[in-house]
Amino acid sequence: MSLFPSPFDAPSVRLATLAGLSEKLLGAGSKNEVLDLIGQALAVPEPGGDPGVLEGLANLYRGQVGPLSSVFDQVDRVGRKGIPEAWVGDTSVLASDVVKAAGRSVTQMSEAFHGSATVLLTLADAIGAAQRKDEQGRGQLLEQKQMLGGKDGFFDNLHENDDEEWDRKNAAHFGSTAVDLMHAAVSEAQEATRVAARDLNKWAAEARAGKMGTSELTAVDKLMLADTGVAGADTELNEILTAGDLERASTRMDQLSLDDETAMERMLANSDSPQERAYLMKALAAGHSVDEIGRFQDKIHGKDPDWLRRHLTPVVTAGDSMNDEGLASDGSNNNKDFVTFDGQRWIQGGDGSEGTCVASSTVTSRAMVDPLYALELTGGPDGQQDDPDAFRQRLVEEQHRLHTEGDGGENWGGMGPEGQERINDSTIGRATGSDYQRQDLDNAADRRAVLTEVERSVAEGRPVPVDVSGKEGAHAMTIIAQEGDMLQVYNPWGETTWVSEDDFINGHMGKASNSDLPNAYSVYLPR
């Protein structure tokens, strides 16, 4: 085994090499050149991976579904018998709620094992098919190499008769076709691997209770925190604590002093609802001190779950938000959901009139990951306000503050990439513990290659800013969620919608804005 990486380890290099060789073969002017090019193509490694190992893993995962079904039956029987209103766990949650959450958790676990098994089997089939296609291409190349025979000597290469020319051109033509087969094999294996990584990352992110490794909370507490969603919405699309929140909160719980740990557990135990409890932990995940969280609880304690949702969760995802309802006349999706507080949209400039798209996207992204920040905007200094006009004033002031911090343009228009990265770090990264790094996307291959990291980030609850452009200008938005091959995008025009991976890759991002802004040209990745 070589101690040094091969340049062919990257699928993108293999694809570029094979594409170039296919073209060169068609233009080869001598037998020796054809043989050299065939040799270079045969030196490109076949698509990697062992379908048998993948199938074995899939069977192992699938074998866990049966035992989980038995566990679900037991939990379901307990739930149907009726549970007295006993309080359990360090944070005093109702036993009946725990049983319901346990049932949902077992169902999700079963779906994860079954889904992961399906992903692995699909990947095994795709890798096997790609390797067979590659083998077919290599076989054809070897046939052409054998047909041409050995290389010509210096004097032989000076003259080519009609039969030799015919053989050379035939070998070049069939060799190019064979290289195209090998190129297709690498491309198909690469895409299958990307899709598998996307789906497995998503299943891993949804193994939520296991994200909390802290010993300071009971298993019951962890289960309930992971299971709690915003009021009046599909829980699976609107969990209060993301996978990243759960991990960061767990880490911070373990780092608290004994006094702070006691105070935090007391606040959790005194919470009036699962939602209040989850928002306290989200505040911990966002990096706030226990004293700050205590003042935050004083503002939200006793509020009903609907009040908490309106003030602390800017974006709520509707169950029908992914339905395809066609395009509007401006090229955007008809199916869009407004992001509002008491009727006032989370929109740049308060009414869409300003060009603070970068700052505005950043404000909303921070509010999504930090409930204290959200409450400062929605509820004002005392956290009790329900005034859309006052909210609008605070929102615009914060947009202007970040626009200035990022050295944005005059008249509240535009911001350069350095300023955008800076406010991403100081505002979003401060809450998620991430360092945002710009990545340019010059073509469809770049956009395809970055998707796995984008989707892993949003699955963990870390927003990914995306810049789009067209002939007339540019605009900043944020990718905030992923389901299957769909990406949820927040547009600081005060709305969210879903686009497909294909839309992102192939220049159809106008569905999230309008047809004048089709191309994603950069993203900012949290690392």
Side-chain angles (χ1 to χ4, degrees):
M1 184 177 68
S2 173
L3 296 176
F4 302 99
S6 165
F8 290 124
D9 287 346
S12 58
V13 174
R14 297 187 203 179
L15 289 172
T17 300
L18 291 170
L21 290 172
S22 177
E23 292 179 8
K24 288 178 181 178
L25 275 165
L26 294 175
S30 71
K31 170 186 172 181
N32 286 354
E33 186 179 1
V34 172
L35 287 170
D36 285 341
L37 292 170
I38 287 176
Q40 291 174 38
L42 290 171
V44 176
E46 69 172 7
D50 187 331
V53 171
L54 292 169
E55 288 172 1
L57 285 172
N59 290 331
L60 180 64
Y61 279 32
R62 187 163 285 172
Q64 307 305 310
V65 175
L68 282 170
S69 297
S70 174
V71 173
F72 177 81
D73 290 341
Q74 295 176 49
V75 173
D76 185 56
R77 282 197 297 272
V78 171
R80 284 187 281 107
K81 286 181 179 179
I83 302 292
E85 290 197 357
W87 299 90
V88 298
D90 289 344
T91 63
S92 300
V93 295
L94 276 176
S96 56
D97 290 337
V98 173
V99 172
K100 293 175 185 176
R104 286 190 293 269
S105 181
V106 172
T107 299
Q108 290 170 346
M109 195 181 304
S110 177
E111 291 172 350
F113 276 120
H114 185 272
S116 297
T118 301
V119 169
L120 291 169
L121 286 174
T122 302
L123 178 59
D125 289 344
I127 293 296
Q131 290 173 345
R132 289 189 294 274
K133 183 173 288 188
D134 176 86
E135 184 180 4
Q136 181 184 356
R138 288 176 191 277
Q140 292 177 11
L141 283 179
L142 290 170
E143 286 178 10
Q144 300 310 312
K145 182 179 180 181
Q146 184 176 11
M147 184 272 294
L148 288 173
K151 283 188 173 183
D152 286 341
F154 176 77
F155 292 105
D156 294 329
N157 204 30
L158 293 177
H159 175 72
E160 182 180 56
N161 62 36
D162 290 345
D163 288 342
E164 290 171 336
E165 181 183 13
W166 175 260
D167 288 344
R168 170 179 60 80
K169 289 185 174 179
N170 264 355
H173 170 75
F174 289 115
S176 177
T177 301
V179 172
D180 287 342
L181 278 175
M182 294 169 64
H183 182 278
V186 174
S187 179
E188 290 164 12
Q190 180 186 28
E191 178 63 7
T193 302
R194 185 194 68 77
V195 170
R198 175 199 71 196
D199 292 342
L200 291 172
N201 282 333
K202 184 68 173 177
W203 287 121
E206 291 182 355
R208 299 171 48 73
K211 300 291 181 183
M212 300 198 77
T214 178
S215 60
E216 307 305 331
L217 295 173
T218 69
V220 166
D221 298 327
K222 297 173 187 178
L223 178 64
M224 288 301 300
L225 287 166
D227 188 65
T228 300
V230 302
D234 185 326
T235 296
E236 289 195 17
L237 295 175
N238 297 279
E239 292 108 341
I240 292 173
L241 288 157
T242 67
D245 290 336
L246 291 164
E247 287 193 34
R248 291 194 304 276
S250 176
T251 299
R252 293 214 64 216
M253 280 291 289
D254 287 339
Q255 294 171 344
L256 294 178
S257 68
L258 180 59
D259 287 346
D260 281 348
E261 178 191 326
T262 301
M264 192 70 201
E265 290 181 352
R266 185 183 301 114
M267 284 188 278
L268 293 171
N270 291 337
S271 298
D272 278 355
S273 67
Q275 286 80 11
E276 180 181 336
R277 195 172 296 115
Y279 283 118
L280 295 179
M281 289 299 284
K282 194 174 185 76
L284 185 67
H288 292 286
S289 69
V290 171
D291 286 343
E292 289 173 328
I293 296 170
R295 291 191 292 272
F296 171 63
Q297 185 176 40
D298 290 341
K299 296 175 181 179
I300 70 169
H301 185 61
K303 303 296 186 184
D304 65 75
D306 182 65
W307 187 98
L308 295 174
R309 175 190 58 77
R310 287 187 297 107
H311 284 78
L312 305 180
T313 301
V315 175
V316 177
T317 302
D320 62 356
S321 61
M322 281 178 276
N323 293 352
D324 185 354
E325 298 178 2
L327 300 180
S329 58
D330 66 356
S332 67
N333 285 336
N334 280 317
N335 192 356
K336 297 187 284 278
D337 291 315
F338 290 149
V339 181
T340 66
F341 173 72
D342 285 353
Q344 167 62 45
R345 289 160 75 172
W346 291 72
I347 186 172
Q348 57 195 68
D351 58 6
S353 62
E354 296 179 348
T356 56
C357 54
V358 173
S360 301
S361 293
T362 307
V363 168
T364 303
S365 295
R366 172 67 181 272
M368 290 179 65
V369 300
D370 183 352
L372 273 73
Y373 183 87
L375 187 61
E376 289 173 0
L377 294 171
T378 57
D382 64 357
Q384 305 306 303
Q385 296 182 32
D386 252 319
D387 183 343
D389 293 331
F391 162 67
R392 172 175 169 167
Q393 180 179 347
R394 289 188 293 269
L395 178 68
V396 174
E397 287 175 354
E398 180 66 357
Q399 292 169 354
H400 286 178
R401 184 186 71 80
L402 287 180
H403 185 81
T404 302
E405 180 183 322
D407 297 324
E410 296 180 357
N411 301 315
W412 309 117
M415 185 183 295
E418 294 82 6
Q420 185 169 0
E421 186 169 332
R422 185 162 64 250
I423 66 171
N424 285 335
D425 286 338
S426 68
T427 308
I428 312 170
R430 178 181 175 184
T432 61
S434 303
D435 176 25
Y436 277 86
Q437 298 179 17
R438 175 188 169 94
Q439 184 157 331
D440 291 329
L441 309 173
D442 295 329
N443 49 49
D446 287 348
R447 292 188 282 271
R448 184 183 300 277
V450 83
L451 263 177
T452 298
E453 191 166 358
V454 169
E455 290 169 334
R456 181 172 61 246
S457 295
V458 297
E460 294 170 350
R462 297 181 295 170
V464 176
V466 56
D467 295 336
V468 295
S469 65
K471 294 180 180 179
E472 302 301 323
H475 185 51
M477 303 188 290
T478 308
I479 300 171
I480 58 174
Q482 173 253 329
E483 292 289 334
D485 66 349
M486 302 295 288
L487 304 170
Q488 189 180 25
V489 179
Y490 165 75
N491 186 332
W493 297 344
E495 59 199 30
T496 62
T497 193
W498 294 81
V499 299
S500 68
E501 292 177 339
D502 181 76
D503 294 329
F504 176 81
I505 293 168
N506 294 312
H508 304 300
M509 286 294 284
K511 292 181 178 180
S513 52
N514 61 46
S515 56
D516 292 332
L517 299 163
N519 299 310
Y521 70 88
S522 67
V523 291
Y524 293 80
L525 296 169
R527 289 169 172 161

